Coordinates of all heavy atoms in Angstrom, one line a residue:
M1 N 22.7 49.6 0.3 CA 22.2 48.3 0.5 C 23.4 47.3 0.3 O 24.1 47.4 -0.7 CB 21.0 48.0 -0.4 CG 20.5 46.7 -0.2 SD 19.0 46.5 -1.3 CE 18.5 44.9 -0.7
T2 N 23.4 46.3 1.1 CA 24.5 45.3 0.9 C 23.9 44.1 0.0 O 22.8 43.7 0.2 CB 24.9 44.7 2.3 OG1 25.4 45.8 3.1 CG2 26.0 43.7 2.1
D3 N 24.7 43.7 -0.9 CA 24.4 42.6 -1.7 C 25.3 41.4 -1.3 O 26.4 41.7 -0.8 CB 24.6 42.9 -3.2 CG 23.7 44.0 -3.7 OD1 22.5 43.9 -3.5 OD2 24.2 44.9 -4.4
Y4 N 24.8 40.2 -1.5 CA 25.6 39.0 -1.1 C 25.7 38.1 -2.3 O 24.7 37.9 -3.0 CB 24.9 38.3 0.1 CG 24.9 39.1 1.3 CD1 23.8 40.0 1.6 CD2 25.9 39.0 2.2 CE1 23.8 40.8 2.7 CE2 25.9 39.8 3.4 CZ 24.8 40.6 3.6 OH 24.8 41.4 4.8
T5 N 26.8 37.5 -2.5 CA 27.0 36.5 -3.6 C 27.7 35.3 -2.9 O 28.7 35.4 -2.3 CB 27.9 37.0 -4.7 OG1 27.3 38.2 -5.2 CG2 28.0 36.0 -5.8
L6 N 27.1 34.1 -3.2 CA 27.7 32.9 -2.7 C 28.3 32.2 -3.9 O 27.7 31.9 -4.9 CB 26.6 32.0 -2.1 CG 27.0 30.6 -1.7 CD1 28.1 30.6 -0.7 CD2 25.8 29.8 -1.3
F7 N 29.6 32.0 -3.8 CA 30.4 31.3 -4.9 C 30.6 29.9 -4.5 O 31.1 29.6 -3.4 CB 31.8 32.0 -5.0 CG 31.7 33.4 -5.6 CD1 31.6 34.5 -4.7 CD2 31.6 33.7 -6.9 CE1 31.5 35.8 -5.1 CE2 31.5 35.0 -7.4 CZ 31.4 36.0 -6.5
T8 N 30.1 29.0 -5.4 CA 30.2 27.5 -5.1 C 30.7 26.8 -6.4 O 30.8 27.4 -7.4 CB 28.9 27.0 -4.6 OG1 27.9 27.1 -5.7 CG2 28.4 27.6 -3.4
S9 N 30.8 25.5 -6.2 CA 31.1 24.6 -7.4 C 30.3 23.3 -7.1 O 30.2 22.9 -6.0 CB 32.6 24.3 -7.4 OG 32.8 23.2 -8.3
P10 N 29.7 22.8 -8.2 CA 28.9 21.5 -8.0 C 29.7 20.3 -7.6 O 29.2 19.4 -7.1 CB 28.3 21.3 -9.4 CG 29.1 22.1 -10.4 CD 29.7 23.2 -9.6
T11 N 31.1 20.4 -7.7 CA 31.9 19.3 -7.3 C 32.5 19.5 -5.9 O 33.3 18.7 -5.5 CB 33.1 19.1 -8.3 OG1 33.8 20.3 -8.4 CG2 32.5 18.7 -9.7
C12 N 32.2 20.6 -5.3 CA 32.7 20.9 -4.0 C 31.9 20.4 -2.8 O 30.7 20.8 -2.6 CB 32.8 22.5 -3.9 SG 33.1 23.2 -2.3
H13 N 32.4 19.5 -2.1 CA 31.7 18.9 -1.0 C 31.4 19.9 0.2 O 30.3 19.9 0.7 CB 32.3 17.6 -0.5 CG 32.3 16.5 -1.5 ND1 31.1 15.8 -1.8 CD2 33.2 16.0 -2.3 CE1 31.4 14.9 -2.7 NE2 32.7 15.0 -3.1
P14 N 32.4 20.7 0.6 CA 32.1 21.7 1.6 C 31.0 22.7 1.1 O 30.2 23.1 1.9 CB 33.4 22.4 1.8 CG 34.4 21.4 1.4 CD 33.8 20.7 0.3
C15 N 30.9 23.0 -0.2 CA 29.9 23.8 -0.7 C 28.5 23.2 -0.5 O 27.5 23.9 -0.1 CB 30.1 24.1 -2.2 SG 31.6 25.0 -2.6
K16 N 28.4 21.9 -0.8 CA 27.1 21.2 -0.6 C 26.7 21.2 0.8 O 25.5 21.2 1.2 CB 27.3 19.8 -1.1 CG 27.4 19.7 -2.6 CD 27.7 18.3 -3.1 CE 28.0 18.2 -4.6 NZ 28.3 16.9 -5.1
R17 N 27.7 21.1 1.7 CA 27.4 21.1 3.2 C 27.0 22.5 3.7 O 26.1 22.6 4.5 CB 28.7 20.6 3.9 CG 28.5 20.6 5.4 CD 29.8 20.0 6.0 NE 29.7 20.3 7.4 CZ 30.8 20.3 8.2 NH1 32.0 20.1 7.7 NH2 30.7 20.6 9.5
M18 N 27.6 23.5 3.2 CA 27.4 24.9 3.7 C 26.2 25.6 3.0 O 25.5 26.4 3.7 CB 28.6 25.8 3.5 CG 29.8 25.4 4.4 SD 29.3 25.5 6.2 CE 28.9 27.2 6.3
K19 N 25.9 25.3 1.8 CA 24.9 26.1 1.1 C 23.5 26.1 1.8 O 22.9 27.2 2.0 CB 24.7 25.5 -0.3 CG 23.7 26.3 -1.2 CD 23.7 25.8 -2.6 CE 22.6 26.5 -3.4 NZ 22.6 25.9 -4.8
P20 N 23.0 24.9 2.3 CA 21.7 25.0 3.0 C 21.7 25.9 4.3 O 20.8 26.6 4.6 CB 21.4 23.5 3.3 CG 22.2 22.7 2.4 CD 23.4 23.6 2.1
L21 N 22.8 25.8 5.0 CA 23.0 26.6 6.2 C 23.1 28.1 5.9 O 22.4 28.9 6.5 CB 24.2 26.1 7.0 CG 24.5 26.8 8.3 CD1 23.3 26.7 9.3 CD2 25.7 26.3 8.9
I22 N 23.8 28.4 4.8 CA 23.9 29.8 4.4 C 22.6 30.3 4.0 O 22.1 31.4 4.4 CB 25.0 30.0 3.3 CG1 26.4 29.7 3.9 CG2 24.9 31.4 2.7 CD1 27.4 29.6 2.8
I23 N 21.8 29.6 3.2 CA 20.5 30.0 2.7 C 19.6 30.2 3.9 O 18.8 31.1 4.0 CB 19.9 29.0 1.7 CG1 20.8 28.9 0.5 CG2 18.5 29.4 1.3 CD1 21.0 30.2 -0.3
Q24 N 19.6 29.2 4.8 CA 18.7 29.3 6.0 C 19.0 30.6 6.8 O 18.1 31.3 7.2 CB 19.0 28.1 6.9 CG 18.3 28.1 8.2 CD 18.7 26.9 9.1 OE1 18.9 25.8 8.6 NE2 18.8 27.2 10.4
E25 N 20.3 30.8 7.1 CA 20.6 32.0 7.9 C 20.4 33.3 7.1 O 20.1 34.3 7.7 CB 22.1 32.0 8.3 CG 22.3 30.9 9.4 CD 21.4 31.0 10.6 OE1 21.1 32.1 11.1 OE2 20.9 30.0 11.0
A26 N 20.5 33.3 5.8 CA 20.1 34.5 5.0 C 18.6 34.8 5.1 O 18.3 36.0 5.2 CB 20.5 34.2 3.5
I27 N 17.8 33.8 5.1 CA 16.4 34.0 5.3 C 16.1 34.6 6.7 O 15.3 35.6 6.8 CB 15.6 32.7 5.1 CG1 15.7 32.2 3.7 CG2 14.2 32.8 5.6 CD1 15.2 30.8 3.4
V28 N 16.7 34.1 7.7 CA 16.6 34.6 9.1 C 17.0 36.1 9.1 O 16.4 36.9 9.7 CB 17.3 33.8 10.1 CG1 17.3 34.4 11.5 CG2 16.7 32.4 10.2
A29 N 18.1 36.4 8.4 CA 18.7 37.7 8.5 C 18.0 38.7 7.5 O 18.3 39.9 7.4 CB 20.2 37.7 8.1
D30 N 17.0 38.1 6.7 CA 16.3 38.9 5.7 C 17.2 39.5 4.7 O 17.1 40.7 4.4 CB 15.4 39.9 6.4 CG 14.3 40.5 5.5 OD1 13.9 39.8 4.6 OD2 14.0 41.7 5.7
V31 N 18.1 38.7 4.1 CA 18.9 39.2 3.0 C 18.7 38.2 1.9 O 18.3 37.1 2.0 CB 20.4 39.3 3.4 CG1 20.6 40.2 4.6 CG2 21.0 37.9 3.8
V32 N 19.0 38.7 0.7 CA 18.9 37.9 -0.5 C 20.4 37.6 -1.0 O 21.2 38.4 -1.0 CB 18.2 38.7 -1.6 CG1 18.2 37.9 -2.9 CG2 16.8 39.0 -1.2
I33 N 20.6 36.3 -1.4 CA 21.9 35.9 -1.8 C 21.8 35.5 -3.3 O 21.0 34.7 -3.7 CB 22.4 34.7 -1.0 CG1 22.6 35.1 0.5 CG2 23.7 34.1 -1.6 CD1 23.1 34.0 1.3
D34 N 22.7 36.1 -4.1 CA 22.9 35.7 -5.5 C 23.9 34.6 -5.5 O 24.9 34.6 -4.7 CB 23.4 36.9 -6.3 CG 23.5 36.6 -7.7 OD1 22.7 35.8 -8.3 OD2 24.4 37.2 -8.4
E35 N 23.7 33.6 -6.3 CA 24.6 32.4 -6.3 C 25.4 32.4 -7.6 O 24.9 32.8 -8.7 CB 23.8 31.1 -6.2 CG 23.2 31.0 -4.9 CD 22.4 29.6 -4.8 OE1 23.0 28.6 -5.1 OE2 21.3 29.7 -4.3
S36 N 26.7 32.0 -7.5 CA 27.5 31.9 -8.7 C 28.3 30.6 -8.7 O 29.0 30.3 -7.7 CB 28.5 33.1 -8.7 OG 29.4 33.0 -9.8
D37 N 28.2 29.9 -9.8 CA 29.0 28.6 -10.0 C 30.3 29.0 -10.6 O 30.4 29.5 -11.7 CB 28.2 27.7 -10.9 CG 28.9 26.4 -11.2 OD1 30.1 26.3 -10.8 OD2 28.3 25.6 -11.9
V38 N 31.4 28.8 -9.8 CA 32.7 29.2 -10.3 C 33.2 28.4 -11.5 O 34.1 28.8 -12.2 CB 33.8 29.2 -9.2 CG1 33.5 30.2 -8.1 CG2 34.0 27.8 -8.6
M39 N 32.5 27.2 -11.7 CA 32.9 26.4 -12.9 C 32.3 26.9 -14.2 O 32.7 26.6 -15.3 CB 32.4 25.0 -12.7 CG 33.0 24.3 -11.4 SD 34.8 24.2 -11.5 CE 35.0 22.9 -12.6
D40 N 31.3 27.8 -14.0 CA 30.7 28.5 -15.2 C 31.5 29.7 -15.5 O 31.6 30.6 -14.8 CB 29.3 28.9 -14.9 CG 28.6 29.7 -16.0 OD1 29.2 29.8 -17.1 OD2 27.5 30.2 -15.7
G41 N 32.2 29.6 -16.6 CA 33.2 30.7 -17.0 C 32.6 32.0 -17.4 O 33.3 32.9 -17.7
T42 N 31.3 32.2 -17.3 CA 30.7 33.4 -17.8 C 30.6 34.5 -16.7 O 30.4 35.6 -17.0 CB 29.2 33.2 -18.3 OG1 28.4 32.6 -17.3 CG2 29.3 32.2 -19.5
D43 N 30.6 34.1 -15.4 CA 30.5 35.0 -14.3 C 31.9 35.5 -13.8 O 32.6 34.7 -13.2 CB 29.8 34.4 -13.1 CG 29.4 35.4 -12.1 OD1 29.9 36.5 -12.1 OD2 28.5 35.1 -11.2
R44 N 32.2 36.7 -14.1 CA 33.5 37.3 -13.9 C 33.7 37.9 -12.5 O 34.7 38.3 -12.1 CB 33.9 38.3 -14.9 CG 33.7 37.9 -16.3 CD 34.5 36.8 -16.8 NE 35.9 37.2 -16.9 CZ 36.9 36.4 -17.2 NH1 36.7 35.1 -17.3 NH2 38.1 36.8 -17.2
R45 N 32.6 37.8 -11.7 CA 32.7 38.4 -10.4 C 33.7 37.8 -9.4 O 34.2 38.4 -8.5 CB 31.3 38.4 -9.7 CG 30.3 39.4 -10.4 CD 28.9 39.3 -9.8 NE 28.4 37.9 -10.0 CZ 27.3 37.5 -9.4 NH1 26.6 38.3 -8.6 NH2 26.9 36.3 -9.7
R46 N 33.9 36.5 -9.6 CA 34.9 35.8 -8.8 C 36.3 36.5 -8.9 O 37.0 36.6 -7.9 CB 35.0 34.3 -9.1 CG 35.6 34.0 -10.4 CD 35.6 32.5 -10.6 NE 35.8 32.2 -12.0 CZ 36.4 31.2 -12.4 NH1 36.8 30.2 -11.6 NH2 36.6 31.0 -13.7
Y47 N 36.6 37.0 -10.0 CA 37.9 37.7 -10.2 C 37.8 39.1 -9.6 O 38.7 39.6 -8.9 CB 38.2 37.9 -11.7 CG 38.3 36.5 -12.3 CD1 37.4 36.1 -13.3 CD2 39.4 35.6 -12.0 CE1 37.5 34.9 -13.9 CE2 39.5 34.4 -12.6 CZ 38.6 34.0 -13.6 OH 38.7 32.8 -14.2
Q48 N 36.6 39.8 -9.7 CA 36.4 41.1 -9.2 C 36.6 41.1 -7.7 O 37.1 42.0 -7.1 CB 35.0 41.6 -9.5 CG 34.7 42.9 -9.0 CD 33.2 43.4 -9.3 OE1 32.5 42.7 -10.1 NE2 32.8 44.5 -8.8
Y49 N 36.1 40.0 -7.0 CA 36.1 39.9 -5.5 C 37.3 39.1 -5.0 O 37.4 38.8 -3.8 CB 34.8 39.4 -5.0 CG 33.6 40.3 -5.4 CD1 32.5 39.9 -6.0 CD2 33.7 41.7 -5.0 CE1 31.5 40.7 -6.4 CE2 32.6 42.5 -5.4 CZ 31.5 42.1 -6.0 OH 30.5 42.9 -6.4
G50 N 38.1 38.6 -5.9 CA 39.3 37.9 -5.5 C 39.0 36.5 -4.9 O 39.7 36.0 -4.1
V51 N 37.9 35.8 -5.4 CA 37.6 34.5 -4.9 C 38.5 33.5 -5.4 O 38.6 33.3 -6.7 CB 36.1 34.2 -5.2 CG1 35.8 32.8 -4.8 CG2 35.2 35.2 -4.5
T52 N 39.2 32.8 -4.6 CA 40.1 31.7 -5.0 C 39.8 30.4 -4.4 O 40.3 29.4 -4.8 CB 41.6 32.1 -4.6 OG1 41.7 32.3 -3.2 CG2 42.1 33.3 -5.3
S53 N 38.9 30.4 -3.4 CA 38.5 29.1 -2.8 C 37.0 29.2 -2.6 O 36.4 30.3 -2.4 CB 39.1 28.9 -1.4 OG 40.5 28.8 -1.5
V54 N 36.3 28.0 -2.6 CA 34.9 27.9 -2.3 C 34.6 26.9 -1.2 O 35.5 26.0 -1.0 CB 34.2 27.5 -3.6 CG1 34.2 28.7 -4.6 CG2 34.7 26.2 -4.2
P55 N 33.5 27.0 -0.5 CA 32.5 28.1 -0.7 C 33.0 29.4 -0.2 O 33.8 29.5 0.7 CB 31.3 27.6 0.1 CG 32.0 26.7 1.2 CD 33.2 26.1 0.6
A56 N 32.6 30.5 -0.9 CA 32.9 31.8 -0.5 C 31.6 32.7 -0.5 O 30.9 32.7 -1.5 CB 33.9 32.4 -1.4
L57 N 31.3 33.3 0.6 CA 30.2 34.2 0.7 C 30.8 35.6 0.8 O 31.5 36.0 1.7 CB 29.4 33.9 1.9 CG 28.2 34.8 2.2 CD1 27.2 34.7 1.0 CD2 27.5 34.4 3.5
V58 N 30.4 36.5 -0.2 CA 31.0 37.8 -0.3 C 29.9 38.8 -0.1 O 28.8 38.8 -0.8 CB 31.7 38.1 -1.6 CG1 32.2 39.5 -1.7 CG2 32.8 37.1 -1.8
A59 N 30.1 39.8 0.8 CA 29.2 40.9 1.0 C 29.8 42.1 0.2 O 31.0 42.4 0.3 CB 29.0 41.3 2.4
H60 N 28.9 42.8 -0.6 CA 29.5 43.9 -1.3 C 28.5 45.0 -1.5 O 27.2 44.8 -1.4 CB 29.9 43.4 -2.7 CG 29.0 42.5 -3.4 ND1 28.1 42.9 -4.3 CD2 28.9 41.2 -3.4 CE1 27.4 41.9 -4.8 NE2 27.9 40.8 -4.2
R61 N 29.0 46.2 -1.5 CA 28.2 47.5 -1.8 C 28.9 48.2 -2.9 O 30.1 48.4 -2.9 CB 28.2 48.3 -0.5 CG 27.4 47.8 0.6 CD 27.2 48.9 1.7 NE 26.8 48.2 2.9 CZ 27.3 48.2 4.1 NH1 28.4 49.0 4.2 NH2 26.9 47.6 5.1
D62 N 28.1 48.7 -3.8 CA 28.6 49.5 -4.9 C 29.7 48.8 -5.6 O 30.7 49.5 -6.0 CB 28.9 50.9 -4.5 CG 27.8 51.6 -3.8 OD1 26.6 51.5 -4.3 OD2 28.0 52.3 -2.8
G63 N 29.7 47.5 -5.8 CA 30.7 46.8 -6.5 C 32.0 46.5 -5.7 O 33.0 46.0 -6.2
E64 N 32.1 47.0 -4.4 CA 33.3 46.8 -3.6 C 33.0 45.8 -2.5 O 32.0 45.9 -1.8 CB 33.7 48.1 -3.0 CG 34.1 49.2 -3.9 CD 35.4 48.8 -4.6 OE1 36.3 48.2 -4.0 OE2 35.6 49.1 -5.8
A65 N 33.8 44.8 -2.3 CA 33.7 43.8 -1.3 C 33.9 44.5 0.1 O 34.8 45.2 0.3 CB 34.7 42.7 -1.5
I66 N 32.9 44.2 1.0 CA 33.1 44.7 2.4 C 33.3 43.7 3.4 O 33.5 43.9 4.6 CB 31.8 45.6 2.7 CG1 30.6 44.8 2.7 CG2 31.7 46.8 1.8 CD1 29.4 45.5 3.3
G67 N 33.2 42.4 3.0 CA 33.5 41.3 3.9 C 33.3 40.0 3.1 O 32.6 39.9 2.1
S68 N 33.9 38.9 3.7 CA 33.7 37.6 3.1 C 33.9 36.5 4.1 O 34.6 36.7 5.1 CB 34.7 37.4 1.9 OG 36.0 37.4 2.3
L69 N 33.3 35.4 3.9 CA 33.5 34.2 4.6 C 33.9 33.1 3.6 O 33.3 32.9 2.6 CB 32.3 33.7 5.3 CG 31.8 34.5 6.6 CD1 30.5 33.9 7.1 CD2 32.9 34.4 7.7
V70 N 35.0 32.4 3.9 CA 35.5 31.3 3.0 C 35.6 30.0 3.8 O 36.1 30.0 4.9 CB 36.8 31.7 2.4 CG1 37.3 30.6 1.4 CG2 36.7 33.0 1.6
G71 N 35.1 28.9 3.2 CA 35.3 27.6 3.8 C 34.1 27.3 4.6 O 33.1 27.9 4.7
V72 N 34.2 26.2 5.4 CA 33.2 25.7 6.3 C 33.2 26.6 7.5 O 34.2 26.8 8.2 CB 33.4 24.3 6.7 CG1 32.4 23.8 7.7 CG2 33.4 23.4 5.4
K73 N 32.0 27.1 7.8 CA 31.9 28.0 9.0 C 30.7 27.6 9.8 O 29.8 26.8 9.4 CB 31.6 29.5 8.5 CG 32.7 30.1 7.7 CD 34.0 30.2 8.5 CE 35.1 30.8 7.6 NZ 36.3 30.8 8.3
S74 N 30.7 28.0 11.1 CA 29.6 27.6 12.0 C 28.4 28.5 11.8 O 28.5 29.6 11.1 CB 30.1 27.8 13.4 OG 30.2 29.2 13.8
Q75 N 27.3 28.1 12.3 CA 26.1 28.9 12.2 C 26.3 30.3 12.9 O 25.9 31.3 12.4 CB 24.9 28.2 12.9 CG 23.6 28.9 12.8 CD 22.4 28.1 13.4 OE1 22.7 27.0 14.0 NE2 21.2 28.5 13.2
T76 N 27.0 30.3 14.0 CA 27.3 31.5 14.7 C 28.1 32.5 13.9 O 27.9 33.7 13.8 CB 28.1 31.2 16.0 OG1 27.3 30.3 16.8 CG2 28.4 32.5 16.8
D77 N 29.1 31.9 13.1 CA 29.9 32.7 12.2 C 29.0 33.4 11.2 O 29.2 34.6 10.8 CB 31.0 31.9 11.5 CG 32.1 31.4 12.4 OD1 32.3 32.1 13.5 OD2 32.7 30.4 12.1
L78 N 28.1 32.7 10.6 CA 27.2 33.2 9.6 C 26.3 34.3 10.2 O 26.1 35.4 9.6 CB 26.3 32.1 9.0 CG 27.0 31.1 8.1 CD1 26.2 29.9 7.8 CD2 27.5 31.7 6.9
V79 N 25.7 34.1 11.4 CA 24.8 35.1 12.0 C 25.6 36.3 12.2 O 25.2 37.4 11.9 CB 24.3 34.5 13.3 CG1 23.6 35.6 14.1 CG2 23.3 33.4 13.1
E80 N 26.8 36.2 12.8 CA 27.7 37.4 13.0 C 28.0 38.1 11.7 O 28.1 39.4 11.7 CB 28.9 37.0 13.8 CG 28.6 36.6 15.2 CD 27.9 37.7 16.0 OE1 28.3 38.8 16.0 OE2 26.9 37.3 16.7
F81 N 28.3 37.4 10.7 CA 28.7 38.0 9.4 C 27.5 38.8 8.8 O 27.7 39.9 8.4 CB 29.1 36.8 8.4 CG 29.4 37.3 7.0 CD1 30.6 38.0 6.8 CD2 28.5 37.1 6.0 CE1 30.9 38.5 5.5 CE2 28.8 37.6 4.7 CZ 30.0 38.3 4.5
F82 N 26.3 38.2 8.9 CA 25.2 39.0 8.4 C 24.9 40.2 9.2 O 24.6 41.3 8.7 CB 23.9 38.1 8.3 CG 24.0 37.1 7.1 CD1 23.8 35.7 7.3 CD2 24.2 37.5 5.8 CE1 23.8 34.8 6.3 CE2 24.3 36.6 4.8 CZ 24.1 35.3 5.0
K83 N 25.0 40.1 10.5 CA 24.9 41.3 11.4 C 25.9 42.4 11.1 O 25.6 43.5 11.0 CB 25.0 40.9 12.8 CG 23.8 40.2 13.4 CD 24.0 39.9 14.9 CE 22.8 39.1 15.4 NZ 23.0 38.7 16.8
A84 N 27.1 42.0 10.9 CA 28.2 42.9 10.7 C 28.2 43.6 9.3 O 28.6 44.7 9.2 CB 29.6 42.2 10.9
T85 N 27.6 42.9 8.3 CA 27.6 43.5 7.0 C 26.3 44.0 6.5 O 26.3 44.7 5.4 CB 28.1 42.4 6.0 OG1 27.2 41.3 6.0 CG2 29.5 42.0 6.3
K86 N 25.3 43.8 7.2 CA 23.9 44.2 6.7 C 23.8 45.7 6.8 O 23.6 46.5 6.3 CB 22.9 43.5 7.6 CG 21.5 43.6 7.0 CD 20.5 42.8 7.8 CE 19.1 42.9 7.3 NZ 18.2 42.2 8.1

């Protein structure tokens, strides 16, 4: 099973723009997204998955990243990402 984590920051304007679209497309794709605030120093997964920019959506299985989208993306990009990684 593929897990998804959305890495964002409360001060990131692209994150605020992309988050509703990502959540909407996740519902359509019938996947659950875990969210992580990179400003909260307690979540170490950003290092595990090599996240250096936000927003970042990482698909992972058994703790290994199998795909990611970083930055502002189109709805089509999101649909294709969920299809390819689900």
Side-chain angles (χ1 to χ4, degrees):
M1 178 177 190
T2 303
D3 296 313
Y4 296 87
T5 304
L6 175 59
F7 294 90
T8 62
S9 167
T11 60
C12 166
H13 293 287
C15 298
K16 292 175 185 178
R17 179 176 165 201
M18 288 302 300
K19 185 176 174 179
L21 182 59
I22 292 169
I23 299 301
Q24 174 187 325
E25 291 307 319
I27 291 168
V28 172
D30 195 29
V31 299
V32 176
I33 295 181
D34 184 32
E35 295 181 48
S36 176
D37 176 356
V38 296
M39 300 300 285
D40 175 8
T42 62
D43 190 345
R44 310 298 289 174
R45 292 177 296 171
R46 67 181 167 151
Y47 302 112
Q48 178 183 356
Y49 299 125
V51 173
T52 58
S53 297
V54 291
L57 178 60
V58 178
H60 44 94
R61 286 190 198 126
D62 301 320
E64 296 292 323
I66 60 168
S68 65
L69 286 178
V70 179
V72 176
K73 300 295 179 189
S74 70
Q75 183 176 9
T76 302
D77 291 335
L78 291 168
V79 169
E80 291 302 317
F81 178 72
F82 286 128
K83 284 182 183 176
T85 58
K86 194 172 177 186

